[in-house]
């Protein structure tokens, strides 16, 4: 397989991004003080300075996770560097109580949340981060260890662009740049960096994989291209096969269930996450079981990933199973997430309770085509809104807004899946996600 790409010099990678970014642009560069992000900031600054361009501006942000005492001094050092480059810079500190387990994942979510706040404040065109070719190699190695199936989509590695919180594009222009070359670039400029001691701590999976994969071959471009093409075909499948009903019920047309199994599997994996309110896909073994059920073309029901798959003559119905469906209270003027499937906005003057149960569908004529058994079962897990303390009475739905959520995509949407996510969003009656702020991909 062909290499992902020949390794690029830091300046070349920075130039590739700046030649493609839609202008005028304000790029928010996340800089930790480590070699990768410091090299990214300096390379972008150098390309803009040498070219004399003024249609792209840089703004930097550093997140102090408050996990190491020296982190505050490192953030101040980054601020001094930015001051010398005449680049605006913000320091934000993660002051929340730290979890006892899963600290890396929690820190990552906090980091993106804080960076996103700055991006929102300054109306950034995009966020730029310093993930490298080395990071990509490690990511693919970790995912390979977790999956015995060589064709799994995750083996394509990190996307070169990810949409965060359905609002901010995060760009990774250094995915074709080796860390060694970044450090050589910084050394040539007389610029130092900070090494995080956690990068050598074998407690973390990535560190263990890094030490084992330092001499591994560069990742291949083929899985990346395969996933992009597969996602595009899955998007076309969803556009032609999927019909969504009120309350989260999804139908796949029987005529389309004989299509390419790889395409159906990719689309169905995402649809299962949406129907079940799950951010992460089913394990490969569970999806194998679902696909065996789907391709058998026999009527019946199967439950997996909080989703009931109900096969009828006219198609395959997906609905949230009636188990562990939450009950929440939404105060007047408040916005809340319910079951990771709906965003509820209470425009009324009184609190409302949102629970599972039959939802009022009004005069929706599309439901007349749904088998009675499917509709009865689907209603058990659909959102029911009642005024607080009002027994079983329904609230005035005109004062309540319910917006479908796409659990696998609303927080992090890899560029691979943009067309597929848009196809699902449109089928659910939602608007499409923001487009990449690039004139072409690098």
């Amino acid at each position: 397989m062909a290499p992902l790409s020949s390794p690029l010099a830091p300046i070349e990678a920075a130039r590739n991004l700046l030649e493609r970014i839609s202008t005028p642009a304000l790029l928010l560069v996340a800089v930790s003080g480590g070699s990768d992000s410091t090299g990214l900031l300096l390379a972008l600054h150098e390309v803009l300075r040498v070219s004399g361009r003024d249609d792209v501006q840089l703004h930097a942000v550093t997140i102090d996770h408050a996990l190491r005492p020296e982190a505050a001094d490192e953030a101040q050092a980054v601020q001094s560097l930015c001051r010398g480059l005449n680049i605006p810079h913000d320091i934000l500190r993660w002051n929340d109580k730290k979890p006892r387990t899963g600290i890396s994942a929690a820190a990552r979510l906090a980091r993106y949340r804080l960076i996103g706040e700055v991006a929102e404040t300054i109306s950034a065109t995009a966020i730029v981060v310093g993930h490298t070719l080395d990071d990509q190699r490690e990511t693919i190695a970790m995912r390979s260890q977790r999956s015995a199936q060589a064709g799994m989509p995750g083996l394509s590695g990190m996307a070169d662009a990810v949409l965060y919180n359905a609002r901010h594009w995060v760009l990774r222009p250094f995915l074709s740049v080796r860390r060694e070359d970044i450090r050589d670039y910084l050394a040539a400029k007389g610029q130092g960096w900070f090494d995080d001691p956690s990068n050598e701590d074998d407690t973390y999976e990535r560190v263990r994989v890094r030490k084992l994969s330092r001499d591994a071959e560069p990742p291949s471009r083929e899985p990346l291209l395969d996933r992009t093409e597969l996602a595009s075909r899955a998007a076309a499948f969803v556009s032609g096969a999927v019909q969504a009903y009120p309350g989260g019920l999804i139908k796949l047309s029987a005529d389309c269930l004989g299509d390419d199994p790889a395409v159906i599997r990719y689309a169905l994996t995402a649809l299962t996450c949406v129907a079940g309110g799950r951010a992460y896909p089913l394990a490969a073994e569970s999806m194998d079981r679902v696909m065996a059920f789907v391709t058998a073309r026999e009527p019946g029901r199967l439950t997996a990933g909080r989703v009931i798959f109900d096969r009828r003559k006219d198609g395959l119905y997906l609905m949230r199973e009636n188990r562990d469906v939450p009950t929440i209270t939404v105060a007047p003027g408040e916005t809340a997430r319910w079951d990771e499937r709906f965003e509820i906005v209470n425009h009324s003057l009184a609190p409302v309770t949102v629970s599972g149960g039959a939802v009022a569908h009004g005069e929706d004529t599309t439901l007349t085509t749904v088998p009675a058994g499917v509709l009865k079962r689907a209603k058990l897990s659909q959102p029911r809104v009642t005024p607080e303390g009002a027994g079983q009475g329904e609230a005035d739905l005109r004062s309540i807004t319910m917006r479908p959520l796409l659990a696998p995509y609303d927080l992090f949407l890899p560029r691979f899946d943009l067309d597929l996510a848009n196809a699902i969003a449109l089928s659910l009656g939602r608007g499409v996600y923001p487009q990449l702020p690039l004139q072409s991909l690098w």
Side-chain angles (χ1 to χ4, degrees), residues 7 67 81 95-96 109 111 117 134 141 156 161 167 176 211 281 306 368 401 414 424:
L67 296 173
L81 171 63
N95 288 318
D96 298 344
L109 291 176
R111 179 167 61 252
E117 290 176 5
D134 302 77
S156 56
R167 296 183 63 84
S176 295
K211 292 179 178 180
R306 307 203 312 182
T368 61
T401 300
I424 296 174

Side-chain angles (χ1 to χ4, degrees), residues 141-193:
M142 286 191 295
R143 293 177 181 176
S144 297
Q145 289 181 358
R146 296 172 193 163
S147 174
Q149 298 190 21
M152 293 298 292
L155 300 186
S156 56
M158 291 184 287
D160 48 15
V162 176
L163 184 65
Y164 169 68
N165 203 26
R167 296 183 63 84
H168 305 293
W169 278 104
V170 179
L171 309 179
R172 294 165 170 156
F174 269 16
L175 278 186
S176 295
V177 181
R178 297 181 302 186
R179 182 167 293 120
E180 177 183 359
D181 293 335
I182 297 171
R183 295 186 170 187
D184 287 346
Y185 168 71
L186 290 173
K189 296 180 71 67
Q191 176 62 51
W193 64 86

Side-chain angles (χ1 to χ4, degrees), residues 309-441:
F309 301 83
D310 194 331
R311 182 65 187 266
R312 301 293 176 113
K313 289 183 178 180
D314 63 332
L316 176 69
Y317 291 88
L318 278 64
M319 68 207 81
R320 168 75 155 91
E321 67 171 323
N322 183 30
R323 181 170 63 88
D324 298 328
V325 176
T327 297
I328 65 171
T329 297
V330 186
E334 184 179 86
T335 299
R337 298 172 72 91
W338 180 75
D339 201 37
E340 296 303 314
R341 293 186 293 138
F342 288 93
E343 178 186 80
I344 312 292
V345 184
N346 182 4
H347 301 284
S348 72
L349 300 177
V352 296
T353 297
V354 186
S355 59
V359 65
H361 293 308
E363 300 298 325
D364 193 328
T365 58
T366 62
L367 290 169
T368 61
T369 63
V370 178
V374 170
L375 188 57
K376 180 179 179 180
R377 187 171 292 105
K379 285 185 176 182
L380 295 175
S381 60
Q382 292 177 346
R384 176 185 179 88
V385 181
T386 57
E388 194 166 85
Q392 298 302 310
E394 291 281 0
D396 182 358
L397 294 184
R398 291 173 298 181
S399 64
I400 307 297
T401 300
M402 291 191 291
R403 176 176 174 264
L405 298 176
L406 272 65
Y409 297 135
D410 282 346
L411 187 58
F412 293 108
L413 167 55
R415 191 260 303 171
F416 307 123
D417 287 346
L418 180 59
D419 289 346
L420 174 58
N422 281 337
I424 296 174
L426 289 173
S427 73
L428 297 180
R430 272 187 38 168
V432 297
Y433 290 92
Q435 290 296 306
L436 266 168
L438 297 172
Q439 298 171 0
S440 63
L441 295 175

Side-chain angles (χ1 to χ4, degrees), residues 3-16:
L4 183 65
S5 63
S6 299
L8 299 180
I11 287 292
E12 186 178 1
R15 186 179 298 113
N16 282 348

